[in-house]
Amino acid sequence: KGGIIMDWFFILECAIKSVLAIIIGGVIGSERARHGRAAGMRTHILVCLGATLTAMTGMFLSKEMGGDAMRISAQVVSGFGFLGVGMIIIKNNNRN
């Protein structure tokens, strides 16, 4: 469609977004690790990178095939909510 230059811009854009996700996840995770909280730097990097790749996949599929760009990302949010509720239940059961 766009030629070889557009392909390089697309690859560069994906790489920049991925690196930014790693940096932001690392900053958030290192702050939590410094305070002795669960889910440190590695966990936050993986979560941020996974969410970024999921959002980029949704946008790419939307551009190529049409449809809703954030449908896949919405499922990531649902999954985080499910895991969060599970952790709350486990944490409350351990107190008793």
Side-chain angles (χ1 to χ4, degrees), residues 51-85:
T52 300
L53 293 174
T54 304
M56 287 191 303
T57 301
M59 291 185 326
F60 175 75
L61 289 175
S62 173
K63 186 173 80 172
E64 293 297 318
M65 295 186 210
D68 188 10
M70 292 296 117
R71 182 170 287 193
I72 297 174
S73 297
Q75 301 309 312
V76 172
V77 173
S78 298
F80 286 154
F82 179 77
L83 292 173
V85 168

